[in-house]
Amino acid sequence: MNAKHEERKLLEMQAELARLKITAERLKMQRARERQSMIDTGFNTILGLADGLPSQSLLWKSLLLPLSWKHRIFTAAGLLLWQVWRQDNKR
């Protein structure tokens, strides 16, 4: 009877180990989903900000507004630099 008791105790311990492994794997997957969700949220926020930017043609048209020449030159230089940077990133 002692051998059966020890065998039963061993089986119970193995079952508990299997349950713990399953719980650990479930927690690891949940943590990975939460991390991916945070990354997706951040990416969607950045995309939302990019959607709010004015179009390129609107920026060029704004150069024709009554501004001082100094502001027009700085705005045009910034816009040209942005276009060059954008074209370099496409390559």
Side-chain angles (χ1 to χ4, degrees):
M1 221 199 287
N2 199 8
K4 286 188 178 185
H5 179 68
E6 288 178 8
E7 187 177 336
R8 179 179 173 92
K9 188 156 181 113
L10 179 63
L11 288 174
E12 286 175 356
M13 290 172 67
Q14 287 175 341
E16 182 65 22
L17 178 62
R19 281 192 290 273
L20 289 172
K21 285 181 178 180
I22 290 170
T23 303
E25 186 64 29
R26 186 179 303 139
L27 288 172
K28 191 179 354 177
M29 290 176 69
Q30 181 181 358
R31 204 173 312 131
R33 277 193 305 268
E34 287 171 357
R35 269 193 236 124
Q36 185 62 42
S37 174
M38 287 191 320
I39 290 170
D40 291 344
T41 302
F43 185 70
N44 288 337
T45 302
I46 291 170
L47 285 180
L49 291 174
D51 287 342
L53 293 175
S55 69
Q56 184 176 351
S57 63
L58 184 61
L59 289 173
W60 279 114
K61 288 177 185 176
S62 68
L63 291 176
L64 301 175
L65 292 174
L67 297 172
S68 70
W69 282 103
K70 181 175 74 172
H71 290 125
R72 284 186 197 190
I73 291 171
F74 285 134
T75 306
L79 190 54
L80 287 172
L81 285 173
W82 177 69
Q83 285 181 333
V84 169
W85 176 77
R86 221 171 113 208
Q87 297 233 339
D88 285 346
N89 284 340
K90 286 184 180 179
R91 293 181 194 165

